[in-house]
Amino acid sequence: MKIFAIRDESAKERMDLAYLLYYELEKRFYIELPEGADPWELPLLLDSFVRQNETTVNSYWSKIWVQQRIIPTDRQNIAEILRDNQLDEYDEYELLMLTEGRCAQDDCYLVPIDEKDLPEEITKRFATRIEDVLPLDDYCLLVFFRDGLIKRCDLKKHFEKKQEFQVLRRKPEYFKYVRMQTGGYGVSWDVNINVSDSVLYRIGKKVPLTTADFRNFVASRVINVSEAAQILGCSRQNVMDLTKRGKLHPLKASGKSTLYLKSEILKRNWL
């Protein structure tokens, strides 16, 4: 994961307006806004999230913000530009880095920082990111959060308010295909069908695990070496080598089989 502070070059005092997080393997952007940010100081598009009292900009709008600061894909001489900058293909992140995130519409730019340099108010949000998720009956999710809480989230009412969720109401069998978003920022069924981690944390009810929940979890989230290799796009031998080097941590290893938690394999793709 790459982290950048978004700063304003015209400001009298150096101040981080926001933070851009980039997950390299999945090419996913997220923007984190400080608590109490002044919308008049923020770049365009980000100010609207502050006005709505939102502090995390989802991946869709974060990518839109990035695209507004780089050469568009339909630029007439785009092939020549890519060639002159030694780029084999159009890549939002690489194009963003060429200009340090500068553009003509404002004086903002990007500065790379370490995770330890993030303000405490931002890192506290990471504690409520999602570690894993399990679909239950009747449009409910069992959500495992990084702070150790496990909550049962009833999404029926949430679905009623959002038009994009109507497909799940018409075809409830799709609900079981829920997946965790990159970085644990929420859950999704499609690009336009997602629920943020903050919403799930707020509406969820803390519950103890039952035997049935545990059985469902194991059936849905424990995978073997072949399944892990398929997710990582590598061979079984590479999976076993990662295990031997302590990069993967099997739940159970024996002469005949090795089992992994699916979420750990998925998160391997975020590094």
Side-chain angles (χ1 to χ4, degrees):
M1 179 176 66
K2 303 287 187 181
I3 305 176
F4 301 88
I6 301 174
R7 294 176 182 165
D8 187 345
E9 198 167 41
S10 66
K12 294 181 180 180
E13 297 182 5
R14 195 193 79 178
M15 180 176 65
D16 293 348
L17 301 179
Y19 302 91
L20 177 69
L21 283 65
Y22 179 65
Y23 291 86
E24 300 167 88
L25 287 178
E26 299 198 12
K27 297 185 177 183
R28 194 70 62 93
F29 296 96
Y30 288 97
I31 294 175
E32 295 287 352
L33 304 172
E35 302 286 345
D38 186 344
W40 295 102
E41 295 178 341
L42 291 173
L44 289 175
L45 191 150
L46 301 186
D47 59 336
S48 62
F49 285 85
V50 172
R51 299 181 197 280
Q52 297 171 37
N53 295 317
E54 296 184 35
T55 55
T56 296
V57 181
N58 63 40
S59 61
Y60 174 81
W61 286 109
S62 293
K63 185 176 181 178
I64 293 295
W65 184 82
V66 168
Q67 290 174 336
Q68 291 177 345
R69 312 187 73 81
I70 61 177
I71 301 166
T73 56
D74 58 357
R75 180 78 170 262
Q76 186 173 5
N77 61 336
I78 186 65
E80 182 180 347
I81 293 172
L82 295 179
R83 184 173 60 253
D84 290 345
N85 288 283
Q86 290 80 52
L87 295 177
D88 296 327
E89 60 182 2
Y90 189 88
D91 187 300
E92 284 108 349
Y93 174 76
E94 294 296 341
L95 290 169
L96 190 69
M97 293 300 99
L98 287 175
T99 61
E100 296 181 325
R102 301 175 192 273
C103 72
Q105 65 186 15
D106 57 43
D107 295 311
C108 293
Y109 65 103
L110 301 176
V111 178
I113 62 173
D114 293 326
E115 185 173 343
K116 62 181 177 59
D117 297 323
L118 286 170
E120 185 179 0
E121 65 175 279
I122 302 294
T123 57
K124 279 184 177 180
R125 297 174 196 168
F126 296 165
T128 58
R129 298 285 182 253
I130 294 171
E131 278 289 302
D132 217 323
V133 59
L134 174 68
L136 304 176
D137 294 333
D138 201 23
Y139 295 109
C140 288
L141 296 176
L142 191 66
V143 184
F144 298 73
F145 294 93
R146 289 184 189 171
D147 63 0
L149 289 183
I150 302 171
K151 295 189 175 186
R152 187 183 185 95
C153 303
D154 188 339
L155 295 177
K156 289 193 296 296
K157 291 183 179 179
H158 186 76
F159 286 178
E160 291 172 358
K161 299 176 182 177
K162 304 286 185 177
Q163 181 63 34
E164 59 268 28
F165 290 108
Q166 297 311 305
V167 64
L168 292 177
R169 294 182 63 83
R170 293 194 301 270
K171 298 182 178 180
E173 65 273 16
Y174 287 176
F175 186 76
K176 67 179 180 181
Y177 295 111
V178 63
R179 62 181 181 272
M180 187 169 48
Q181 291 184 315
T182 301
Y185 275 83
V187 299
S188 64
W189 291 264
D190 198 353
V191 175
N192 296 318
I193 307 178
N194 56 74
V195 184
S196 71
D197 59 309
S198 58
V199 168
L200 292 170
Y201 200 86
R202 184 178 71 251
I203 69 174
K205 304 297 183 182
K206 184 180 177 182
V207 295
L209 278 175
T210 66
T211 302
D213 288 333
F214 178 75
R215 288 179 181 275
N216 285 333
F217 180 84
V218 172
S220 300
R221 310 308 293 179
V222 175
I223 60 177
N224 59 30
V225 175
S226 296
E227 292 168 321
Q230 184 177 11
I231 292 173
L232 295 175
C234 66
S235 67
R236 289 168 51 91
Q237 289 75 16
N238 284 340
V239 173
M240 297 310 298
D241 181 64
L242 288 170
T243 303
K244 289 178 181 178
R245 293 191 287 121
K247 301 297 183 180
L248 295 177
H249 308 87
L251 293 175
K252 182 179 180 181
S254 65
K256 293 184 178 180
S257 65
T258 303
L259 300 177
Y260 300 88
L261 197 60
K262 186 177 181 180
S263 59
E264 182 186 17
I265 303 301
L266 290 171
K267 282 184 278 190
R268 178 77 189 169
N269 278 334
W270 303 349
L271 302 176

